[in-house]
Amino acid sequence: MTNQSSLQLFEEKKVRTVWDDKEEKWYFAVVDVVEVLTDSKNPTDYIKKMKKRDPQLAEGWGQFVSPLSIDTAGGKQRVNCADTEGIFRIIQSIPSPKAEPFKQWMAQVASQRIDQMQDPELDIQQAVADYKRLGYSDAWINQRIKSIEVRKELTDEWKRTGVHEGMEYASLTDIITKEWSGFTTKQYKNYKGLKKENLRDNMTNVEIALNILAEASATELSKEKNPQGFDQQKHIAKAGGSVAKAAKNQLESQLGHSVISPAKATDYILPQGEEE
């Protein structure tokens, strides 16, 4: 399966998805769907209870639910996912008034993906619209979109030089992040009080700018030095992070305080309905 993971929004809540290029259909993270439909604070526990209540669902679980790799700030993680048919079966076991609207939303997501395949610019426009609905400022959105572009260029460079997706991507990301921020990705998320939320979606403008500088520097250094494989890329990752670290230290010396913030998106985005 050749796939690409992304985030979709249903009623302002994030649902992680994977697009299968071969089958040309979406797979949805089951735990996210259950959380959206039930508003459960512990959707994993809800799924366990749901399978006990519905023996037929439990018996056929492995037929329509599969662990797929989904991109996260720290690299890819295996998450149980199901296609539209599988999600419909799960919805049957969830008494929720959101069931029908969610089905309509899934159909809309599928339709939008076909349109985006015809015109990739629509993908960027959708991301901008989603961030606007969540209350992010235009300045933050512009930087976040740029960070996605820079990240893609970096991972393309890693792939070109023989780095393997998954743990090696995550390790290189940690090296870059640790070098400029002082935190690994996991430590950074803990510092901000995040759980499954995306770290980059919770960075301030300055944090995003520094992260962009670090990853763009690593990309350019890789193109120049042409390292081969993970071990050689580790040195490039550290060098790229050090460029952003120097900029961070210089800014902090003039500000008189750290620019690494414990704030997360909910602390600084505009409440719905308010304008800057």
Side-chain angles (χ1 to χ4, degrees):
M1 177 192 296
T2 301
N3 59 57
Q4 180 179 5
S5 61
S6 64
L7 286 173
Q8 311 289 343
L9 290 177
F10 173 75
E11 295 185 352
E12 316 307 333
K13 294 185 178 181
K14 295 179 181 180
V15 178
R16 291 169 293 178
T17 58
V18 177
W19 174 257
D20 185 325
D21 287 333
K22 185 177 180 179
E23 297 184 17
E24 293 192 352
K25 65 180 179 180
W26 283 110
Y27 284 80
F28 300 82
V30 174
V31 68
D32 294 347
V33 173
V34 171
E35 182 176 1
V36 164
L37 293 178
T38 65
D39 294 320
S40 173
K41 294 182 179 179
N42 190 341
T44 301
D45 187 56
Y46 187 99
I47 291 172
K48 293 179 181 178
K49 294 178 180 178
M50 178 178 66
K51 290 165 70 176
K52 288 182 179 180
R53 292 196 307 265
D54 188 339
Q56 290 184 337
L57 175 69
E59 184 177 350
W61 190 259
Q63 298 176 14
F64 54 80
V65 173
S66 302
L68 301 179
S69 294
I70 290 184
D71 290 323
T72 68
K76 289 184 178 292
Q77 294 182 2
R78 303 284 284 181
V79 177
N80 277 336
C81 298
D83 62 10
T84 301
E85 184 178 353
I87 293 298
F88 281 179
R89 174 61 185 89
I90 291 171
I91 289 176
Q92 291 177 12
S93 297
I94 301 176
S96 171
K98 298 179 183 179
E100 286 306 317
F102 192 83
K103 290 179 182 179
Q104 295 173 16
W105 172 80
M106 285 197 296
Q108 183 182 8
V109 167
S111 175
Q112 287 175 345
R113 178 57 184 172
I114 299 301
D115 292 340
Q116 289 163 0
M117 290 171 67
Q118 301 297 323
D119 182 2
E121 186 177 344
L122 294 175
D123 206 6
I124 297 175
Q125 294 173 355
Q126 184 62 50
V128 171
D130 288 343
Y131 282 125
K132 279 184 175 293
R133 284 203 303 272
L134 287 172
Y136 289 94
S137 69
D138 288 340
W140 186 96
I141 292 171
N142 289 337
Q143 288 218 84
R144 183 66 178 99
I145 297 302
K146 174 56 67 175
S147 76
I148 294 171
E149 177 186 335
V150 169
R151 175 68 180 182
K152 177 62 165 59
E153 188 175 2
L154 175 60
T155 56
D156 285 348
E157 180 64 12
W158 284 345
K159 184 176 182 180
R160 182 190 72 82
T161 58
V163 178
H164 299 104
E165 292 188 34
M167 289 302 298
E168 290 188 353
Y169 277 28
S171 295
L172 291 176
T173 299
D174 272 346
I175 291 171
I176 293 174
T177 306
K178 179 81 179 283
E179 182 62 24
W180 76 261
S181 72
F183 291 136
T184 64
T185 302
K186 183 176 181 180
Q187 290 169 341
Y188 209 152
K189 292 183 71 171
N190 288 340
Y191 182 65
K192 284 182 175 287
L194 304 175
K195 294 182 180 178
K196 71 177 184 179
E197 300 96 326
N198 186 289
L199 175 59
R200 296 161 198 253
D201 283 353
N202 287 274
M203 285 183 173
T204 64
N205 282 345
V206 172
E207 289 172 309
I208 290 179
L210 290 169
N211 198 66
I212 289 174
L213 177 58
E215 295 195 331
S217 298
T219 300
E220 293 307 311
L221 287 168
S222 179
K223 291 178 179 178
E224 180 68 25
K225 298 181 181 298
N226 197 33
Q228 295 301 309
F230 173 71
D231 287 338
Q232 292 184 23
Q233 276 288 5
K234 288 193 295 185
H235 302 291
I236 300 297
K238 186 175 180 63
S242 69
V243 174
K245 180 180 180 180
K248 168 180 165 289
N249 290 343
Q250 183 176 2
L251 177 58
E252 289 178 342
S253 69
Q254 296 188 43
L255 291 173
H257 62 77
S258 174
V259 296
I260 304 301
S261 172
K264 49 186 177 290
T266 52
D267 297 326
Y268 57 80
I269 62 175
L270 294 173
Q272 293 292 321
E274 293 188 15
E275 300 181 353
E276 290 180 308

